[in-house]
Amino acid sequence: MAAVDDLRFEEFGDTTTSLEANPDATTISIEDPGETPKHKPGPPKGLGREEDDELLGNDDSDKTELLAGQKKSSPFWTFEYYQTFFDVDTYQVFDRIKGSLLPIPGKNFVRLYIRSNPDLYGPFWICATLVFAIAISGNLSNFLIHLGEKTYHYVPEFRKVSIAATIIYAYAWLVPLALWGFLVWRNSKVMNIVSYSFLEIVCVYGYSLFIYIPTAILWIIPQKAVRWVLVTIALGISGSVLAMTFWPAVREDNRRIALATIVTIVLLHMLLSVGCLEEHVLLHPGGVMAQSTCEITGGTKCEQRSLASAWVSTVLLLQKTELLEGVVGTFKTNSISPGM
Amino acid sequence: MAEAVESPGDPETTTSRPLMRDLKAVGKKFMHVLYPRKSNTLLRDWDLWGPLILCVTLALMLQRGSVDSEKDGGPQFAEVFVIVWFGAVTITLNSKLLGGNISFFQSLCVLGYCILPLTMAMLVCRLVLLAEPGPINFMVRLFVVIIMFAWSIVASTAFLADSQPPNRKALAVYPVFLFYFVISWMILTFTPQ
């Protein structure tokens, strides 16, 4: 920064010479505002600072929020407005995906990775990939089950794609909308230090769905036990990412409401995984077997049987919620202690 | 235009000459897709006739036979059409939003023309399916579809990659990969009634 130093030195020289020339003159030295952030001795960056960041939402995040406000200044009917939502580089997208796969207690996904630059690229294309992954893996597992059977006629079930797309995109957009509305309402009653914008919530939900893509691919394996293990692992990882993201936003509130919010978030996530698994399992291998007998015996029995098995598996998973609440509770104690 | 020199009332020259010219342009672009080099022809003189022909051919070959097999069958003509065009529009919007400097129709043109290898794979698959069904049949089809899928990706990347900012190339190419993967899947899983 030699040029900048030269300028400053010259300014100083000017004031002294002008003071010599005219002692009564008042001199005002105005520092270049661009320099101040560089010369300000920042606090040592590291783990501690990120936790303070998360707890207090201090200057750094205020400044970035101001910058974000400046960034999105185009009116919403121009193309540039929407380009600001796609202002991410390849390595940033990879970092965010990595962050959604490795939830570490105490690290907030939004503060750590999104930092007031929420993007729509990740959520949109992760949902699209997930839709096709579920449809294709369902097709493949069906095919593998019936490999070698001469009487089996393979059909590519195309309707699955539209159903899966509707469910997943509705989940990825409507649930964040409801959650954002709820948080805004609670924010008006209880002053929360940490608050998220709608796009940041959409971003978290979108990236948290990434773990389901490899899970859907591994669902090709026809063993039921393997599938349940896989879906539990996926639910654990993405549920904990969501819980740890939203816990700082609600913990200022009434204890019961905070817990209820987190449990609802995890429960909805669980319903999504159960829904996908049921669609996969019921309407593919086991279901096709049931269907072939049903076509002989009659229509209503098949519906009752499929509904019954759906209900049974939902109840089984609800029992796992109690296990999950305990897990969430331990995360809760972990995230409280560093702050105190 | 040179074609206007002939007498305007003559039906042969008013319809067949421009038609031949357009067909030659489409054929030339097909050659560029089959032997992809970094050239600007596809981008400079874009047209959407080639993509339309390819899309209609693909949709005609992929549609399921009769209305009776409506319960979990293959896609209908309209479904294939919608997937191809909607997918191409989405990818184009995506690359423009990421900051690419390619125009909307140029991108549609490139994506549409690069379906040509997959259309050829569909033709081959239909011919192979006339033979005895079995694992060898499936292996042959799988092999052909994989090769053509890779060819489509290479061709479209050769044309599209330069228009993206360098640190976002992967972000712009991934949707193209997904698009051709879905089309290849539809081709591979096609079974005649």
Side-chain angles (χ1 to χ4, degrees):
Chain A
M1 293 290 153
V4 170
D5 288 343
D6 281 344
L7 276 172
R8 289 182 67 203
F9 187 68
E10 275 187 53
E11 272 185 349
F12 193 69
D14 280 341
T15 50
T16 48
T17 47
S18 62
L19 273 173
E20 284 170 16
N22 191 358
D24 289 336
T26 49
T27 55
I28 306 168
S29 63
I30 303 169
E31 261 191 2
D32 188 357
E35 289 176 13
T36 0
K38 290 178 205 145
H39 292 281
K40 183 172 76 175
K45 297 224 179 266
L47 214 62
R49 173 148 170 91
E50 279 163 353
E51 291 193 31
D52 287 347
D53 210 336
E54 167 204 331
L55 288 175
L56 299 175
N58 60 1
D59 299 334
D60 202 359
S61 59
D62 283 348
K63 213 186 305 175
T64 45
E65 271 170 29
L66 274 174
L67 285 173
Q70 286 176 9
K71 205 168 51 164
K72 295 180 181 28
S73 59
S74 320
F76 68 91
W77 56 83
T78 57
F79 194 68
E80 284 73 26
Y81 176 75
Y82 297 102
Q83 265 186 327
T84 56
F85 301 140
F86 282 77
D87 195 15
V88 277
D89 294 335
T90 312
Y91 75 92
Q92 282 176 326
V93 172
F94 281 146
D95 276 344
R96 290 174 190 193
I97 291 178
K98 255 191 312 192
S100 77
L101 290 176
L102 304 167
I104 305 174
K107 293 215 178 191
N108 189 335
F109 183 75
V110 174
R111 286 278 167 247
L112 198 54
Y113 293 105
I114 300 192
R115 286 187 199 275
S116 300
N117 184 20
D119 70 306
L120 287 180
Y121 178 90
F124 182 78
W125 287 110
I126 289 177
C127 289
T129 314
L130 186 59
V131 164
F132 289 118
I134 291 181
I136 288 177
S137 81
N139 243 340
L140 262 181
S141 70
N142 203 11
F143 176 71
L144 285 177
I145 292 275
H146 297 280
L147 196 60
E149 287 175 17
K150 290 251 189 277
T151 53
Y152 174 66
H153 184 72
Y154 175 76
V155 283
E157 288 129 330
F158 200 69
R159 294 273 169 250
K160 298 285 162 298
V161 177
S162 30
I163 298 173
T166 317
I167 294 177
I168 288 174
Y169 273 100
Y171 180 80
W173 284 89
L174 294 181
V175 172
L177 185 66
L179 187 61
W180 174 74
F182 176 75
L183 286 178
V184 161
W185 174 61
R186 291 310 301 173
N187 228 357
S188 66
K189 297 201 161 193
V190 175
M191 187 56 213
N192 265 329
I193 294 175
V194 176
S195 65
Y196 300 127
S197 71
F198 171 61
L199 283 171
E200 284 172 350
I201 301 182
V202 168
C203 223
V204 174
Y205 264 87
Y207 280 103
S208 73
L209 286 177
F210 180 81
I211 183 69
Y212 286 103
I213 296 177
T215 313
I217 295 176
L218 287 175
W219 270 343
I220 298 175
I221 303 172
Q223 303 300 323
K224 256 207 158 156
V226 172
R227 285 181 176 168
W228 280 120
V229 165
L230 284 171
V231 90
T232 316
I233 294 174
L235 186 60
I237 292 179
S238 62
S240 55
V241 166
L242 287 178
M244 280 189 288
T245 306
F246 290 109
W247 180 247
V250 294
R251 70 179 157 199
E252 314 292 326
D253 209 343
N254 189 359
R255 185 52 51 112
R256 282 205 197 133
I257 295 186
L259 265 180
T261 316
I262 299 286
V263 166
T264 316
I265 292 175
V266 175
L267 208 64
L268 282 170
H269 220 62
M270 191 181 306
L271 276 176
L272 179 78
S273 3
V274 167
C276 290
L277 189 59
E278 285 310 304
E279 194 207 321
H280 199 269
V281 168
L282 266 186
L283 305 169
H284 294 292
V288 168
M289 296 298 215
Q291 251 182 28
S292 51
T293 53
C294 278
E295 276 161 16
I296 303 172
T297 55
T300 46
K301 269 198 180 166
C302 321
E303 286 172 33
Q304 286 170 9
R305 199 181 306 174
S306 57
L307 275 176
S309 55
W311 180 241
V312 162
S313 42
T314 315
V315 165
L316 279 175
L317 266 169
L318 278 174
Q319 283 175 356
K320 288 191 188 177
T321 341
E322 290 164 19
L323 185 67
L324 216 63
E325 271 191 46
V327 169
V328 169
T330 50
F331 280 143
K332 172 183 63 177
T333 45
N334 273 346
S335 58
I336 283 179
S337 38
M340 298 213 298
Chain B
M1 293 204 305
E3 285 80 356
V5 172
E6 286 82 7
S7 59
D10 193 354
E12 264 188 10
T13 53
T14 47
T15 51
S16 64
R17 281 257 179 153
L19 188 66
M20 288 313 299
R21 184 196 64 203
D22 281 339
L23 280 177
K24 274 196 192 135
V26 168
K28 202 163 130 197
K29 291 204 189 69
F30 279 167
M31 283 298 125
H32 275 277
V33 169
L34 286 178
Y35 302 108
R37 289 163 311 219
K38 284 200 191 291
S39 80
N40 275 337
T41 314
L42 233 70
L43 292 178
R44 215 175 39 219
D45 318 316
W46 60 268
D47 73 86
L48 292 179
W49 287 114
L52 184 68
I53 295 172
L54 287 172
C55 187
V56 167
T57 316
L58 197 61
L60 276 174
M61 289 197 284
L62 269 178
Q63 64 176 345
R64 51 175 176 259
S66 60
V67 185
D68 295 334
S69 56
E70 201 183 273
K71 196 182 33 174
D72 291 349
Q76 288 280 20
F77 179 88
E79 286 170 353
V80 177
F81 217 76
V82 159
I83 285 186
V84 169
W85 286 102
F86 188 65
V89 166
T90 310
I91 296 175
T92 308
L93 276 179
N94 177 66
S95 77
K96 284 191 79 75
L97 283 168
L98 282 173
N101 58 355
I102 191 171
S103 98
F104 186 76
F105 288 109
Q106 280 174 346
S107 171
L108 279 185
C109 169
V110 168
L111 288 169
Y113 270 104
C114 291
I115 297 183
L116 176 66
L118 287 170
T119 311
M120 295 189 333
M122 184 74 222
L123 281 164
V124 171
C125 280
R126 275 222 105 144
L127 289 173
V128 169
L129 278 169
L130 292 172
E132 190 64 39
I136 304 179
N137 197 313
F138 178 72
M139 285 297 156
V140 167
R141 283 186 292 141
L142 180 67
F143 181 68
V144 167
V145 169
I146 287 180
I147 300 271
M148 292 303 180
F149 166 64
W151 201 337
S152 284
I153 299 265
V154 165
S156 59
T157 313
F159 295 118
L160 285 178
D162 287 336
S163 66
Q164 292 299 322
N167 50 351
R168 294 181 187 183
K169 278 204 180 25
L171 294 185
V173 166
Y174 170 71
V176 177
F177 171 85
L178 189 65
F179 177 62
Y180 288 129
F181 184 79
V182 170
I183 296 183
S184 318
W185 181 257
M186 289 200 294
I187 292 175
L188 186 61
T189 59
F190 172 76
T191 47
Q193 296 302 321

